Amino acid sequence: MLKKLNQLLGLGNARNLGAPRYVAVADGLVVSEERAQAWFTISTSNTDMVDGEMQDRELQEVIAWAERALADKECQIKILWGKSSGEDYFEEAQDFAKTRGGRNLAAIRAERIDELDLPNRHVLMGIQLSERRPGPAQEALSHASDAILGTGGRSISKRELRYLDTEMRRLAQSFQNSPLRGRPAPVETLAWMIGREQHRLIAVDTPPKEGVISGAKLARLSQGRVVPYPDHLRIYDEKGKVLAYTSVLIMPEFPELTETIGAGEWLRTLADVRRIDEEGEFRSVIVEASIRFNLLSRRESLKRVSETRKAAKEQRKSAEKGSAEETSLEIEQTEQTMAELEVEIKRDGITLVEDYPLLLVTQESPQELDVAVEAVIGHFADLGITVEVAADEQREAWLSTLPCDQVRIPDMGHVRDAAGLFGSWFWGGSEVGDQEGPCMALMTGSTPGLVRNDIAGGSARGDATTTAFIGRSGRGKTTGMILSLLDTVAGGAWAAMLDFKGDCTGAISACEYLELPAKLMKVSEEHSGAADLMRILPPQDAVLQVHGQLMLLTPPHMRAEAEPALLEALQRVAEEQDPSTWKVIQNLRQNTNGFYQALGNTLENYATTPLGSTIAGPPREGQAKFTTDPGLTVVQFPGIDLPGVQATPDEWTSSQRVSVACLRGFLGWVTYTAGNPELRGLPKVVAVPEVHLLTATNDGRAFLDYIARVGRALHASLVIDTQDPESISKLQGLVEQITTVFAFSQYSKPQQDALAELLLMEPSAWTRNMIRTVNLGLDGHIRHGHCIMRDWRGRPATIQFDIPSEEIKRLISTTPDMEVSLEPAADEIEPLEEELQGALA
Amino acid sequence: MQARNFTKAFKVETRQHELLGLDLGEGPTREMLIFGSLFLIAWMGLLWLIFGPPTPHTFIFYLTIPAIVVYYAFQDSKRVPRRKNLAEWAIKAHYQTHGHRPIIGLDTRRATRAECRPLRTRLGLATIEAIMKPWQPPVRPWERQTTASEANPAAKQPVIRLNRHARLYGFEYVNDRVRKINAKEAKPITRTRKRS
């Protein structure tokens, strides 16, 4: 009687059933006493930065796949949030930050990750494989044997497990090739999914035997006490303390028609729910979801549609006979809709989905829970969706969100077309960067998370090796570049930064603070002979390069005669001990030949100028010179005066000639280090901020082209930063080699279009607007370090460069009013060490 | 691309336009009609058993009350308009019988009575008591607090009040009591046991 009444009211009969009793958990499998499910993790698709057309195409592919693979199967989507853990990051960092300084940086970053408390989305899909409910006789027998033998009844035969595994793998094959890119969920993830529901996060410390968790370990995972209150559940720990307050929400009403881009993306927007805290600041609310769904087969869909149409028709006829004369407009519309739907199902093959969505909100106190629930209701009201607390049915609602359970609140189901469910874009969001490697930024799209990218990683994956930071001045390009360089140096790479602007001293201070090897070289008399190629390179290799440099310094009228004279002097000095360019000049001066002496004197005059002294000046005792050891070297060029591309060498002024000779010295050193076969295993990075200064010269262009093209073979990466993407886009050789782009805002249309093309996006009004506003906050303030990143896979997403600590922020700041001295950095190493040891202990 | 939700279209609220040759006009919903007749029969049967057949004076109790109940039961719920009030009442009743039971180790064992929220709190009797005492100032939302007792259901039980008094007894009284007790203990104790 009660059952009939429940059915009449649409309340169903599953409300009183007990919780699922898990029997085994294995890779991609959760088995309870009643049913077995295959579980898959679903990769995030980058939808935030994709235009509508591409999004529609992907959605259609997913629907087509689901119609094939999921028809008539009971499925469940679970959207869960984990936390990015600093401890895990630090442990992982042992693989990529091998140096002492690297570990320091990783420890600071780990602390920052914990401080940020970033949620991390996991989307899982479960598909029912089989019903395991035993027959009544079998059940009675099993219960009796359990009672007598005390076996507990929670077991599964190896044969059955093997069968389920085969079934799961069959589904996995289809999942793997689908646009959802589903993979069998690892057993650890599934254990986490079950344990976290009751906040019993016992880590699966020992690897599960034969990949299966069962018995006592599984029982431990499902331990816990959950007390249902009318509007929430309280989850208790062993000592009776409340661990969490969870509220399960139902979604009774959806708009009848929505666009799949925008309001229709109701599951993708879960990360957008915000509440206002006591300080008036917006904080994100963690909302989890469980959607049980079933793609109705064509036959089932037609049956339901036909039944509804007939009922509506019967109502119309019956009303016509009586005094009512006509039925309500609602019934008439239903009849019409069903008739149309019938045709659509038959002709267009439209698929209907029946689904039961539930949302879960968890907080630490009832007050916070109230605020969070209000925020969720408000958020969905904006999308036209009614959300309500499942009052007095929290127990049923919560149990039905568990894997291997069933629909317990059948009257809150929905029937939609496949676009209605899949258009919710539960797998949409942002995804950029690598799965491992150093983390230097955070994703700011609809799915928050860490961005991991190694600028020196291109060569290892057999890809091109150029990274470009592009955008307007003062938006955080150089800071982003320095942060990336710190990570690379922390991994034991050799890095050189050609600092034409002179604002990258902070990179050195930060390296010293972190105990990473670093050197600052200024082109001045102070560093006389520091970039002397005769001293840096093997003398025989250096002869021709130094010859070219000295020829540049030679006045035009002496050149014809100077060429053999210089070569002769160079050869002579190269055979001596401790050769240097200064010695070559002295050799010329000491020659008995008058021309040689004149040439030597002229060259000596150039060599004593600030620019010339670095490449040809007298070497100073004990001073640092360019090396090929791992670490960062920042080279600054105050007063450098490079000629334009149009000017021929004959038109160059003497200052330009010295500048070019000086630049050739540095580029020669970089090229030698990058191309040295002995250093092939060492990752090498050449960073050039304000690269347009270099692209304006033939030498610079040739150099960039060389490094970009041969970078992969030599394990050398190029990092450039520019304000002028249009000029970069004309250097085809360079553009072809760009793997990763960090795009900051640009205001003029040609630059925006050039940047869009570098981001592999179609230049359109939408892209232009996005590029213009990427550095603007909601209230119009400038968001430094916020940019669009396009990774080597071609996926774009908005990210925020994150400086791991205030101290590093102060040190690497490139704003002009910040005077950073190198001195205090050395003193600060001690306290940092103590702090880190404390943090690690 | 557009997404369509057919939930409302699939829900046809069928009405009965005529019954046994009687034209009902717009007609009541069939759910209401079925439930209403069942409830009416049950209600009338109950009253018949207790008070006997209806008289012209008492007929109103036999008919009006079920009619009012059925009318309200089939109004759309204010909170969830997709449900009727009756469904909401059934869910409320279900919470009292099953829905409040703590889930211990995913129902590996049934919760004991002490672990459940007591009936008084479940039914919200405290609120009813407060309504019954109009002279007491009502509790405003900002005065409402989640106390530790609410977090711990065991602490919600009535407070045990200790009422200790010291009394001075004289020697005579004590000796007299001791003598009486000794005399009582000297008697053999006989107990009858029920035979099973």
Side-chain angles (χ1 to χ4, degrees), chain A residues 16 19 224 226 228 234 236 252 256 258 260 314-315 318 323 334 344 350 389 393 395 411 413-415, chain B residues 1 3-7 9-10 15 17 23 30 79 82-83 92 94-95 101 103 105 107-108 117 150-151:
Chain A
N16 294 345
V226 183
R234 291 182 188 183
Y236 292 84
E256 288 193 16
T258 42
T260 52
E314 183 268 331
Q315 283 288 296
S318 140
S323 61
T334 294
E344 278 183 80
I350 188 175
V389 175
E393 48 187 349
R395 185 188 153 101
D411 60 335
H414 291 275
V415 182
Chain B
M1 220 167 141
R4 288 178 293 169
N5 186 311
F6 300 108
T7 311
F10 269 102
R15 290 177 176 274
H17 298 104
D23 193 334
R30 285 182 187 157
R79 214 177 52 85
R82 260 181 85 181
R83 276 186 182 142
K92 269 194 198 302
H94 185 263
Y95 176 74
R101 282 195 301 214
I103 307 155
D107 282 344
T108 20
R117 293 183 64 217
E150 214 185 321

Side-chain angles (χ1 to χ4, degrees), chain B residues 124-135:
Chain B
L125 287 187
T127 331
I128 296 167
E129 276 169 24
I131 295 165
M132 300 294 276
K133 291 177 188 165
W135 56 88

